[in-house]
Amino acid sequence: MLTGLLALRDVNVALGAVTLQDRDRLPWYLPPALTDLLDVVITRQDAPAKPAPDGLHAALARVGVRPEQAIFVGDSPGDMTAARAAGVLALGATWGWHPSAALHTAGARHLLSDPTRIGPSLLHHLTPIPAT
């Protein structure tokens, strides 16, 4: 996953995390190599917890990205619900605790089979935005 995130960073993609975890617990869950790549981290102290879309809205606002230009990779049905409610493309990470069917039912547009699927190739899932 780290290689894919580095590749996304190389093409100037903003990276963030929206988590149900407390901010003081982040070092236990996010290794420094990952945290250093993130432009924004939203915890439950920053916004109402998923499946509410507030955390995604807050992250997008901080990096200046419109929802239709964003992808959210999550491993729970609540993640998929939050992404859909925020107007963000929901991609299901099947290496988490929830089965693929539950992610799909909750709104995952595509399923990722393992962390190596994260990278610039995900950007092709976004609908091009017409120039104004």
Side-chain angles (χ1 to χ4, degrees):
M1 175 168 47
L2 198 54
T3 301
L5 292 174
L6 285 166
L8 285 166
R9 168 67 69 214
D10 286 345
V11 294
N12 297 317
V13 171
L15 301 172
V18 177
T19 178
L20 296 172
Q21 296 300 322
D22 288 325
R23 186 161 296 281
D24 62 349
R25 298 178 100 197
L26 290 179
W28 299 350
Y29 293 97
L30 298 177
L34 174 60
T35 305
D36 291 346
L37 290 175
L38 300 177
D39 299 296
V40 61
V41 176
I42 302 294
T43 68
R44 65 181 176 183
Q45 282 84 25
D46 303 314
K50 298 174 284 182
D54 304 63
L56 288 166
H57 287 305
L60 292 170
R62 286 192 193 170
V63 296
V65 173
R66 297 189 324 227
E68 61 273 12
Q69 297 173 303
I71 294 172
F72 185 72
V73 177
D75 66 355
S76 75
D79 290 339
M80 301 302 99
T81 300
R84 287 184 42 234
V88 171
L89 178 65
L91 301 182
T94 63
W95 60 87
W97 294 102
H98 299 277
S100 300
L103 298 173
H104 181 72
T105 298
R109 290 271 306 278
H110 303 281
L111 298 173
L112 305 178
S113 59
D114 63 70
T116 63
R117 300 289 185 215
I118 293 175
S121 64
L122 293 182
L123 301 177
H124 83 274
H125 291 294
L126 292 173
T127 303
I129 297 174
T132 54

